[in-house]
Amino acid sequence: GKWKNKERVLIFSSRGINFRTRHLMQDLRTLMPHSKADTKMDRKDQLFVINEVCEMKNCNKCIFFEAKKKQDLYMWLSNTPQGPSAKFLVQNVHTLAELKMTGNCLRGSRPLLSFDPIFDKEPHYALLKELFIQIFSTPQYHPKSQPFVDHVFTFTVTDERIWFRNYQIIEEDASLVEIGPRFVLNLIKIFQGSFGGPTLYENPHYQSPNMHRRLIRLSVAAKFREKQHVKEVQMEKKKASKVLVKEDPTEVVFETPAEEKPVEIQLVKPESKPIVKDKKKLRKIQRKKQKKLFRTE
């Protein structure tokens, strides 16, 4: 057949990404035969420059990975140059090589796209569904693609996030075996233009990574302060003077008094005890006397 749908997706990133992001980007390029690569973009450049890069590469869709603080990863999905575009926070990234899954698929084969029913109910999810279809689906009769359908891309909405999974379709019983990669997309904003413009939708459930880390630090500090407060209270209790309890008059009721002994008055002076000298000292004195007598003789 004739190749009519000439969708091309540019997949590249900014400088400062880690190894896991680089492997994820390479996995997406492997799974999408209609993708193109480009060199990393400098972080000082503005994002609207990507539209010119896509035009030079003859691409009308773009997946851009933006790294911040060497630990936070953001993904831009854009329809260049008119728009719209969506910005996501990427979490729980697992690549093909990392998971070592048992599934496998033909390189360049076309995937089936499976979406959660929520994508048809809410308008912002419907817009994202159309964006995902145009970016991730391989055009029919693409020169680098194969005429086979042997794996499924699933997009599931759980906990206000979009979970991406890739499964192999086994021919024997049509069961699914996960291939990878897998990641979670936390929607931040949807813009009318490409990499900017008026905001069409803003996620009210989104919490920035900086705020999340700040709340963790505050919770740890609160626990430490609570422990210190408990220690101070215990020290004050120990230092505080003990309050004397008043005597209870009812405690003496069951006490039995001791027998009183008669008082004896001695009219005669008691006899003095004889002084008993130490026998050992007497023996020593006698021995010394005997030695003196023996010497004089």
Side-chain angles (χ1 to χ4, degrees):
K2 192 176 180 181
W3 175 35
K4 295 180 181 179
N5 180 18
K6 297 189 177 182
E7 295 281 352
R8 297 181 182 88
V9 183
L10 181 65
I11 302 176
F12 73 119
S13 68
S14 65
R15 296 194 181 276
I17 61 172
N18 53 13
F19 70 97
R20 184 172 281 109
T21 307
R22 188 173 66 251
H23 291 175
L24 173 63
M25 190 168 55
Q26 190 61 40
D27 293 343
L28 289 178
R29 288 172 183 168
T30 306
L31 292 171
M32 299 164 63
H34 60 293
S35 64
K36 287 189 176 183
D38 194 21
T39 56
K40 294 179 182 178
M41 195 181 77
D42 197 354
R43 285 182 291 182
K44 295 180 182 178
D45 295 339
Q46 298 295 328
L47 290 177
F48 61 82
V49 181
I50 301 174
N51 296 326
E52 299 177 4
V53 177
C54 292
E55 187 178 355
M56 288 188 292
K57 288 284 184 178
N58 197 17
C59 296
N60 51 3
K61 298 291 185 294
C62 181
I63 299 177
F64 177 67
F65 292 96
E66 185 181 8
K68 290 184 179 180
K69 295 188 176 181
K70 297 183 179 180
Q71 54 184 345
D72 302 330
L73 178 63
Y74 298 92
M75 179 193 284
W76 286 84
L77 299 179
S78 176
N79 179 25
T80 58
Q82 294 86 11
S85 59
K87 185 180 181 181
F88 302 90
L89 174 68
V90 186
Q91 299 171 326
N92 301 336
V93 177
H94 297 281
T95 59
L96 283 169
E98 183 182 353
L99 290 175
K100 297 180 181 178
M101 294 181 176
T102 57
N104 194 6
C105 66
L106 183 66
R107 186 186 179 97
S109 61
R110 298 181 63 198
L112 291 174
L113 299 184
S114 173
F115 290 93
D116 197 279
I118 301 177
F119 280 93
D120 298 325
K121 296 178 181 178
E122 299 187 16
H124 62 281
Y125 281 132
L127 178 62
L128 291 176
K129 178 181 178 180
E130 185 62 30
L131 197 61
F132 288 146
I133 289 172
Q134 295 183 14
I135 290 177
F136 288 97
S137 62
T138 303
Q140 194 174 10
Y141 304 120
H142 190 277
K144 292 183 180 179
S145 66
Q146 301 290 338
F148 301 103
V149 178
D150 58 355
H151 63 287
V152 185
F153 289 162
T154 62
F155 298 90
T156 311
V157 178
T158 306
D159 193 22
E160 305 296 335
R161 292 171 174 82
I162 301 172
W163 299 65
F164 175 85
R165 295 289 185 271
N166 182 20
Y167 296 98
Q168 177 197 359
I169 303 172
I170 299 176
E171 295 180 0
E172 289 78 9
D173 53 353
S175 61
L176 300 177
V177 180
E178 189 171 359
I179 303 172
R182 57 161 68 170
F183 52 88
V184 180
L185 299 176
N186 190 359
L187 178 63
I188 303 173
K189 284 183 181 181
I190 300 176
F191 300 96
Q192 185 177 354
S194 177
F195 296 98
T199 303
L200 297 178
Y201 176 78
E202 186 174 359
N203 187 7
H205 305 284
Y206 171 71
Q207 187 182 60
S208 65
N210 293 332
M211 181 61 68
H212 181 66
R213 288 190 286 267
R214 181 174 177 272
L215 292 176
I216 291 173
R217 289 196 299 269
L218 288 176
S219 63
V220 173
K223 287 181 182 179
F224 178 75
R225 273 197 245 81
E226 187 178 355
K227 287 182 181 179
Q228 290 295 111
H229 180 66
V230 171
K231 286 183 181 179
E232 289 175 1
V233 170
Q234 290 176 352
M235 292 296 292
E236 288 178 1
K237 284 183 179 179
K238 289 180 181 179
K239 290 180 181 178
S241 59
K242 295 181 180 180
V243 181
L244 296 175
V245 183
K246 295 181 180 180
E247 292 184 358
D248 189 3
T250 58
E251 289 182 354
V252 197
V253 174
F254 298 100
E255 289 183 359
T256 54
E259 296 180 357
E260 296 180 357
K261 295 182 179 180
V263 181
E264 295 181 357
I265 300 172
Q266 292 182 356
L267 301 175
V268 184
K269 183 180 179 181
E271 296 179 358
S272 59
K273 294 181 180 180
I275 299 169
V276 180
K277 294 182 178 181
D278 193 0
K279 295 180 179 180
K280 292 183 179 180
K281 287 185 179 179
L282 291 172
R283 290 175 184 171
K284 286 181 181 179
I285 293 167
Q286 289 177 0
R287 286 174 186 169
K288 286 181 180 179
K289 288 180 179 180
Q290 287 177 1
K291 286 180 180 179
K292 285 181 181 180
L293 290 172
F294 181 74
R295 288 173 183 173
T296 51
E297 289 178 357

